[in-house]
PDB file of all heavy atoms in Angstrom:
ATOM      1  N   PRO B 378       0.300   3.264  79.587  1.00  0.00           N
ATOM      2  CA  PRO B 378       0.580   4.432  80.435  1.00  0.00           C
ATOM      3  C   PRO B 378       0.669   5.731  79.648  1.00  0.00           C
ATOM      4  O   PRO B 378       0.405   6.805  80.192  1.00  0.00           O
ATOM      5  CB  PRO B 378       1.941   4.096  81.074  1.00  0.00           C
ATOM      6  CG  PRO B 378       2.572   3.090  80.156  1.00  0.00           C
ATOM      7  CD  PRO B 378       1.451   2.337  79.501  1.00  0.00           C
ATOM      8  N   SER B 379       1.078   5.647  78.380  1.00  0.00           N
ATOM      9  CA  SER B 379       1.054   6.849  77.558  1.00  0.00           C
ATOM     10  C   SER B 379       0.618   6.474  76.153  1.00  0.00           C
ATOM     11  O   SER B 379       0.861   5.354  75.689  1.00  0.00           O
ATOM     12  CB  SER B 379       2.422   7.538  77.546  1.00  0.00           C
ATOM     13  OG  SER B 379       3.267   6.946  76.615  1.00  0.00           O
ATOM     14  N   LEU B 380      -0.053   7.403  75.508  1.00  0.00           N
ATOM     15  CA  LEU B 380      -0.696   7.111  74.224  1.00  0.00           C
ATOM     16  C   LEU B 380      -0.361   8.144  73.176  1.00  0.00           C
ATOM     17  O   LEU B 380      -0.292   9.340  73.469  1.00  0.00           O
ATOM     18  CB  LEU B 380      -2.218   7.103  74.393  1.00  0.00           C
ATOM     19  CG  LEU B 380      -2.832   5.956  75.178  1.00  0.00           C
ATOM     20  CD1 LEU B 380      -4.287   6.257  75.481  1.00  0.00           C
ATOM     21  CD2 LEU B 380      -2.692   4.653  74.408  1.00  0.00           C
ATOM     22  N   LYS B 381      -0.205   7.656  71.947  1.00  0.00           N
ATOM     23  CA  LYS B 381      -0.076   8.572  70.807  1.00  0.00           C
ATOM     24  C   LYS B 381      -1.118   8.211  69.761  1.00  0.00           C
ATOM     25  O   LYS B 381      -1.342   7.029  69.467  1.00  0.00           O
ATOM     26  CB  LYS B 381       1.322   8.476  70.207  1.00  0.00           C
ATOM     27  CG  LYS B 381       2.432   9.010  71.109  1.00  0.00           C
ATOM     28  CD  LYS B 381       3.646   9.414  70.273  1.00  0.00           C
ATOM     29  CE  LYS B 381       4.759   9.933  71.144  1.00  0.00           C
ATOM     30  NZ  LYS B 381       5.394   8.874  71.948  1.00  0.00           N
ATOM     31  N   VAL B 382      -1.753   9.238  69.230  1.00  0.00           N
ATOM     32  CA  VAL B 382      -2.804   9.056  68.234  1.00  0.00           C
ATOM     33  C   VAL B 382      -2.439   9.866  67.003  1.00  0.00           C
ATOM     34  O   VAL B 382      -1.986  11.001  67.112  1.00  0.00           O
ATOM     35  CB  VAL B 382      -4.173   9.557  68.772  1.00  0.00           C
ATOM     36  CG1 VAL B 382      -5.248   9.433  67.693  1.00  0.00           C
ATOM     37  CG2 VAL B 382      -4.556   8.786  70.021  1.00  0.00           C
ATOM     38  N   TRP B 383      -2.632   9.280  65.828  1.00  0.00           N
ATOM     39  CA  TRP B 383      -2.342   9.978  64.566  1.00  0.00           C
ATOM     40  C   TRP B 383      -3.637  10.113  63.786  1.00  0.00           C
ATOM     41  O   TRP B 383      -4.255   9.124  63.430  1.00  0.00           O
ATOM     42  CB  TRP B 383      -1.308   9.187  63.770  1.00  0.00           C
ATOM     43  CG  TRP B 383      -0.931   9.784  62.436  1.00  0.00           C
ATOM     44  CD1 TRP B 383      -1.188  11.054  61.973  1.00  0.00           C
ATOM     45  CD2 TRP B 383      -0.219   9.124  61.390  1.00  0.00           C
ATOM     46  NE1 TRP B 383      -0.674  11.222  60.713  1.00  0.00           N
ATOM     47  CE2 TRP B 383      -0.074  10.057  60.326  1.00  0.00           C
ATOM     48  CE3 TRP B 383       0.328   7.850  61.244  1.00  0.00           C
ATOM     49  CZ2 TRP B 383       0.593   9.741  59.131  1.00  0.00           C
ATOM     50  CZ3 TRP B 383       0.981   7.530  60.050  1.00  0.00           C
ATOM     51  CH2 TRP B 383       1.105   8.478  59.013  1.00  0.00           C
ATOM     52  N   VAL B 384      -4.030  11.367  63.545  1.00  0.00           N
ATOM     53  CA  VAL B 384      -5.171  11.639  62.664  1.00  0.00           C
ATOM     54  C   VAL B 384      -4.584  12.064  61.323  1.00  0.00           C
ATOM     55  O   VAL B 384      -4.060  13.170  61.182  1.00  0.00           O
ATOM     56  CB  VAL B 384      -6.089  12.739  63.248  1.00  0.00           C
ATOM     57  CG1 VAL B 384      -7.243  13.030  62.301  1.00  0.00           C
ATOM     58  CG2 VAL B 384      -6.607  12.307  64.619  1.00  0.00           C
ATOM     59  N   ALA B 385      -4.668  11.152  60.360  1.00  0.00           N
ATOM     60  CA  ALA B 385      -4.041  11.388  59.061  1.00  0.00           C
ATOM     61  C   ALA B 385      -5.056  11.994  58.098  1.00  0.00           C
ATOM     62  O   ALA B 385      -6.119  11.444  57.903  1.00  0.00           O
ATOM     63  CB  ALA B 385      -3.508  10.069  58.504  1.00  0.00           C
ATOM     64  N   GLY B 386      -4.719  13.118  57.522  1.00  0.00           N
ATOM     65  CA  GLY B 386      -5.674  13.825  56.655  1.00  0.00           C
ATOM     66  C   GLY B 386      -6.694  14.548  57.515  1.00  0.00           C
ATOM     67  O   GLY B 386      -7.893  14.393  57.337  1.00  0.00           O
TER      68      GLY B 386
END
Side-chain angles (χ1 to χ4, degrees):
Chain B
S379 83
L380 290 169
K381 292 203 181 71
V382 177
W383 179 14
V384 178

